[in-house]
Amino acid sequence: MEEHDYVYQMRPLIIPGLVFLILYPLIIGGVHVFSKLPTLELRVLIGIYVISGLGIITLWVVGKSKRIIMDGGQIVFSSLLGVHILEPKDIRRVAFYFDDKGQEIAQIRTSQELYYVSEFYFPFPELMSDLEIFIQQYDIRSNLTRFAN
């Protein structure tokens, strides 16, 4: 199996955050103009805005660095928070399921941790195909019926 690199999509996470950062000052400014908020309340609301902005920037930086690399005999999860290399012998089970929104999720279970692969990775169909080939190639336990034979 050749190396494939899958990146984390930021648009579903960042767009709502940017909308919040644009609308929040407009709403708070409108409330302040019409009802003259006390200084303490205004500072608390500004603090919430600043903390939210910093949180969104942090989420963007960490999310932008997330990737999965399918490299022959291993799966590499990497981000600014660290690199986790999974060898076939480390993986106890891979479970595929759908969440309440109908999105497919793969759960990779090792002896100590769980790793999740969702539709936030691009290109997701190719990632799932590579994961299924990896499962079949290394005879890893999964809930896929076609590999149970």
Side-chain angles (χ1 to χ4, degrees):
M1 177 184 264
E2 62 190 56
E3 179 178 318
H4 293 121
D5 190 6
Y6 302 97
V7 295
Y8 202 71
Q9 295 184 64
M10 295 305 301
R11 185 173 295 154
L13 297 174
I14 297 302
I15 296 299
L18 292 177
V19 169
F20 169 78
L21 290 177
I22 292 168
L23 291 179
Y24 188 85
L26 297 175
I27 293 169
I28 296 304
V31 169
H32 181 64
V33 166
F34 291 116
S35 67
K36 288 293 184 197
L37 292 171
T39 305
L40 178 63
E41 289 178 3
L42 190 59
R43 287 183 180 168
V44 168
L45 292 173
I46 290 172
I48 291 171
Y49 180 76
V50 169
I51 290 171
S52 299
L54 292 174
I56 290 169
I57 290 170
T58 302
L59 178 67
W60 181 78
V61 168
V62 171
K64 200 70 173 162
S65 70
K66 286 181 77 167
R67 52 188 357 98
I68 295 176
I69 301 169
M70 301 287 286
D71 185 17
Q74 59 188 8
I75 301 173
V76 180
F77 290 89
S78 79
S79 74
L80 284 179
L81 302 176
V83 175
H84 301 279
I85 299 172
L86 300 180
E87 301 284 337
K89 63 179 175 45
D90 300 331
I91 300 172
R92 288 182 36 208
R93 185 170 196 272
V94 178
F96 295 91
Y97 59 91
F98 291 92
D99 67 2
D100 55 351
K101 295 178 186 173
Q103 296 176 333
E104 186 176 11
I105 296 175
Q107 178 190 59
I108 302 171
R109 179 182 295 273
T110 64
S111 59
Q112 298 176 349
E113 294 189 35
L114 293 173
Y115 297 90
Y116 292 93
V117 176
S118 70
E119 292 183 7
F120 283 121
Y121 286 97
F122 179 80
F124 184 71
E126 287 84 351
L127 173 58
M128 294 314 265
S129 296
D130 279 352
L131 189 56
E132 289 174 5
I133 292 168
F134 187 83
I135 290 168
Q136 187 178 30
Q137 187 176 11
Y138 294 102
D139 197 31
I140 297 171
R141 259 182 39 184
S142 76
N143 64 341
L144 293 176
T145 56
R146 63 182 162 183
F147 295 130
N149 297 332

